[in-house]
Amino acid sequence: MSILVLAEHHDGALAGATAHVVAAAQQIGGDIDVLVAGENVAAIAESAAKLDGVSKVRVADNAAYAHLLAEPTAALIAELAGDYSHVLAVASTTGKNVLPRVAALKDVAQISEIIAVESADTFKRPIYAGNAIATVQSEDAPKVITVRTTGFDAVAEGGSAAIEAVDLSFTKGADNAQSTFIKEELAQSDRPELGAAKVVISGGRGMGNGENFKLLDGIADKLGAAIGASRAAVDAGFVPNDMQVGQTGKIVAPDLYIAVGISGAIQHLAGMKDSKVIVAINKDEEAPIFQVADYGLVADLFEAIPELEQQL
Amino acid sequence: MKVLAAVKRVIDYNVKIRVKPDHSDVDLTNVKMAMNPFCEIAVEEAVRLKERGVATEVVAVTVGPKAAQEQLRTALALGADRAIHVETDERIESLGAAKALAKLVEEEQPGLVILGKQAIDTDNNQTGQMLAALTGLPQGTFASEVVVEGGKLKVTREIDGGLQTIELSLPAIVTTDLRLNEPRYAKLPDIMKAKKKPMDVKTPADLGVEVASKVKLLKVEPPAERQGGVKVGSVDELVDKLKNEAKVIS
């Protein structure tokens, strides 16, 4: 068996999420190759080569793969996939965009967002917003899989895998007439990334407006936390949508999750109920969030939050 | 141009699901069903494209059991012109659905196909991407804005760090994210009128496709229950518990 892992990278750096997917690949067993596709990705390949358990890093460095547009990237992976029993990627917006296209090109099903490896062909994945866990078995070759990073601890960095360029002679280079990258508007933040933060503090509709989200800054600074939001807060325009935690936003599992003014709808719980410790601050003592919270404080957040910030 | 909007019948998003006692699947008996929320957004966008004069015809399509015709009627009431139902009682996952939809794309030759980004039952987030692969068309997934201009499609996509804008040649496949639009409600007169709109029923065999899922579902279990927590009386007590009991802050 051999496994191909698509490297996740942003702004010229390997994303930490990749190390979680390599961990999932190790549980499946076999040689693990990492594919680094993009433009000017030499430094990213160097980082990927350091991940424990990686046998080889394959580099597809070409303008056609800049921004990892689905059409050229899926064609590339489908071309390479024949040599592998499994193809894995992070269940990020990149992995979710590209991998199903790869699966269909290979005429195989995809198994989305696995949280556990039972064996090389059997996996666990959440369905119905995480309210049921399905165990599924696939006889496909290759098995195309996206990995929910919160289900696997990242591998360490101590390796030194070989790095080799992928022979791109099968493609006519940037022969992608179907899709063109126009622009990206990325939220600038000095805080840790939501998916990787050890502490997350999230605000919901109870915050009242976008201005009040600043109340969470002080606590986030003191705890080194990322700031998240419920869908209600995003839909109300309080904060941008890349902060959304939930079934259709980001899935987080930090050591500490503080939910402020969040009622705790099924769809939000899907994104955070695997956190180690959950704290809920809400003035409605009937709010469903209290059913999953380890520590609940029934209080007006506008009084409790400044007090909490002071005490930390 | 013609627009195809794909819809799926799923458990209503507000229902708290139950796993069957024999762990074979989720219990769907006597549970309220509805159109998948992302599909509502897809139908809404298709209808708006028609209202803007971009689309000439909106065709709602689904792959699923007989009862899924309810959701097609909903789509017709929301403004779709006609419907196509690929009827099957098989357990379907994304690849099978995408294969059936690819045949409909071949037959109907739409300029655009709009699907939801994921169904809230399987949470797969695959069908649109697979359809794009099978038809050889470009894809604009997780769209929060769609503009047709100069024979091209400009799609703003929700990605992990913010927003990305891409331009696609037409025909193309688009999948909807939550913030693409606010779906309208069907009005009673429109619901009555929808009963008279044409609905074409086909089988996977008519299309020459195999739709059953090849991935075996071995078991469905409820997730591990979280231990019920405690209510604290004050911020002091909360900070004390986090430091000394949970040891998550120092």
Side-chain angles (χ1 to χ4, degrees):
Chain A
M1 284 201 308
S2 54
I3 302 168
L4 183 67
V5 170
L6 175 65
E8 177 92 8
H9 57 85
H10 308 287
D11 296 337
L14 184 75
T18 313
H20 295 263
V21 180
V22 171
Q26 280 186 318
Q27 292 186 20
I28 292 168
D31 288 340
I32 301 167
D33 290 0
V34 173
L35 171 65
V36 179
E39 191 178 21
N40 303 328
V41 289
I44 298 162
E46 299 280 343
S47 306
K50 291 197 185 90
L51 294 175
D52 279 350
V54 175
S55 322
K56 195 165 57 180
V57 176
R58 305 183 71 181
V59 185
D61 200 326
N62 188 294
Y65 307 123
H67 309 293
L68 295 176
L69 293 175
E71 298 76 12
T73 310
L76 166 71
I77 300 170
E79 180 71 26
L80 303 177
D83 303 337
Y84 296 95
S85 58
H86 298 71
V87 177
L88 272 57
V90 183
S92 61
T93 47
T94 305
K96 289 174 182 176
N97 186 34
V98 173
L99 239 54
R101 192 171 178 110
V102 173
L105 289 173
K106 302 299 289 182
D107 194 27
V108 296
Q110 175 181 286
I111 302 172
S112 293
E113 305 227 14
I114 61 164
I115 52 170
V117 174
E118 298 289 289
S119 71
D121 67 1
T122 307
F123 309 91
K124 282 189 188 291
R125 60 176 303 263
I127 52 177
Y128 292 91
N131 290 297
I133 307 296
T135 306
V136 295
Q137 185 177 32
S138 157
E139 287 170 12
D140 282 326
K143 294 182 207 336
V144 175
I145 297 167
T146 60
V147 177
R148 182 173 289 190
T149 51
T150 54
F152 302 88
D153 291 334
V155 295
E157 290 187 6
S160 56
I163 299 178
E164 62 172 48
V166 174
D167 176 7
L168 296 177
S169 57
F170 72 91
T171 141
K172 300 189 213 47
D175 182 23
N176 170 31
Q178 293 186 306
S179 59
T180 318
F181 173 84
I182 305 283
K183 65 176 181 193
E184 239 160 42
E185 298 147 79
L186 300 180
Q188 296 305 326
S189 171
D190 303 332
R191 299 197 185 283
E193 193 215 334
L194 199 50
K198 289 267 178 262
V199 182
V200 172
I201 182 163
S202 286
R205 193 187 293 278
M207 298 300 293
N209 60 46
E211 194 61 24
N212 290 339
F213 260 77
K214 290 203 180 89
L215 289 170
L216 306 181
D217 283 347
I219 295 175
D221 288 341
K222 283 189 166 165
L223 297 176
I227 297 184
S230 69
R231 179 184 164 185
V234 174
D235 282 352
F238 297 174
V239 289
N241 52 35
D242 55 289
M243 288 169 66
Q244 184 181 323
V245 171
Q247 182 186 19
T248 63
K250 293 199 170 63
I251 312 288
V252 301
D255 293 344
L256 173 61
Y257 187 93
I258 307 173
V260 183
I262 292 176
S263 63
I266 292 173
Q267 293 76 14
H268 184 75
L269 301 184
M272 46 63 82
K273 65 183 165 67
D274 291 330
S275 307
K276 268 200 196 95
V277 175
I278 296 173
V279 171
I281 300 173
N282 198 307
K283 63 174 187 239
D284 172 15
E285 63 180 303
E286 297 299 316
I289 191 80
F290 287 121
Q291 291 165 24
V292 298
D294 299 284
Y295 302 108
L297 177 63
V298 180
D300 181 350
L301 69 93
F302 295 103
E303 287 159 21
I305 291 296
E307 195 182 337
L308 178 61
E309 184 186 338
Q310 230 173 7
Q311 297 218 12
L312 288 173
Chain B
M1 66 180 177
K2 187 191 293 183
V3 177
L4 249 54
V7 301
K8 184 177 185 185
R9 175 183 175 88
V10 298
I11 289 187
D12 184 276
Y13 75 97
N14 276 318
V15 171
K16 190 140 177 47
I17 59 139
R18 287 186 314 275
V19 172
K20 284 183 180 168
D22 67 357
H23 287 185
S24 60
D25 204 344
V26 167
D27 194 351
L28 295 183
T29 40
N30 302 326
V31 172
K32 184 177 173 218
M33 304 294 279
M35 189 191 292
N36 180 46
F38 288 98
C39 302
E40 289 183 346
I41 296 169
V43 172
E44 175 68 31
E45 197 63 21
V47 171
R48 286 188 194 190
L49 284 169
K50 191 178 171 193
E51 287 167 346
R52 288 205 291 267
V54 176
T56 48
E57 187 188 28
V58 175
V59 186
V61 297
T62 195
V63 184
K66 192 166 181 61
Q69 291 191 8
E70 278 174 43
Q71 280 62 48
L72 286 176
R73 288 290 169 205
T74 304
L76 293 168
L78 292 168
D81 299 294
R82 60 188 172 92
I84 304 173
H85 180 204
V86 180
E87 194 180 320
T88 172
D89 288 313
E90 296 282 2
R91 186 176 69 84
I92 300 185
E93 295 243 357
S94 303
L95 186 63
K99 282 181 176 175
L101 294 173
K103 284 289 183 196
L104 297 182
V105 168
E106 204 179 303
E107 285 178 10
E108 296 283 337
Q109 294 289 314
L112 186 64
V113 185
I114 311 182
L115 308 87
K117 82 164 174 179
Q118 76 189 66
I120 59 167
D121 51 4
T122 55
D123 279 335
N124 271 346
N125 195 329
Q126 301 169 7
T127 308
Q129 295 87 315
M130 287 179 162
L131 176 61
L134 297 175
T135 53
L137 296 174
Q139 64 191 57
T141 52
F142 330 141
S144 57
E145 195 184 354
V146 177
V147 183
V148 179
E149 49 180 48
K152 295 263 190 190
L153 186 75
K154 231 188 204 144
V155 182
T156 303
R157 305 177 55 230
E158 296 196 13
I159 59 170
D160 284 333
L163 296 172
Q164 179 191 70
T165 306
I166 56 174
E167 192 175 72
L168 305 176
S169 60
L170 289 166
I173 312 292
V174 166
T175 73
T176 65
D177 216 320
L178 287 167
R179 279 157 285 273
L180 181 60
N181 61 44
E182 188 74 41
R184 71 195 68 188
Y185 292 97
K187 296 191 189 76
L188 189 59
D190 293 333
I191 294 170
M192 301 312 289
K193 274 187 220 138
K195 293 193 165 99
K196 295 195 176 63
K197 289 183 178 175
M199 184 174 314
D200 198 2
V201 180
K202 298 173 189 279
T203 65
D206 297 341
L207 299 170
V209 293
E210 190 59 58
V211 294
S213 176
K214 290 189 300 192
V215 173
K216 280 203 208 81
L217 184 62
L218 301 183
K219 196 166 49 172
V220 174
E221 304 158 285
E225 285 286 323
R226 282 191 79 94
Q227 293 301 316
V230 293
K231 291 243 172 77
V232 293
S234 68
V235 171
D236 285 343
E237 195 186 341
L238 175 63
V239 172
D240 175 62
K241 294 257 192 215
L242 291 178
K243 277 185 180 159
N244 304 318
E245 193 174 277
K247 297 190 171 55
V248 283
I249 58 175
S250 46

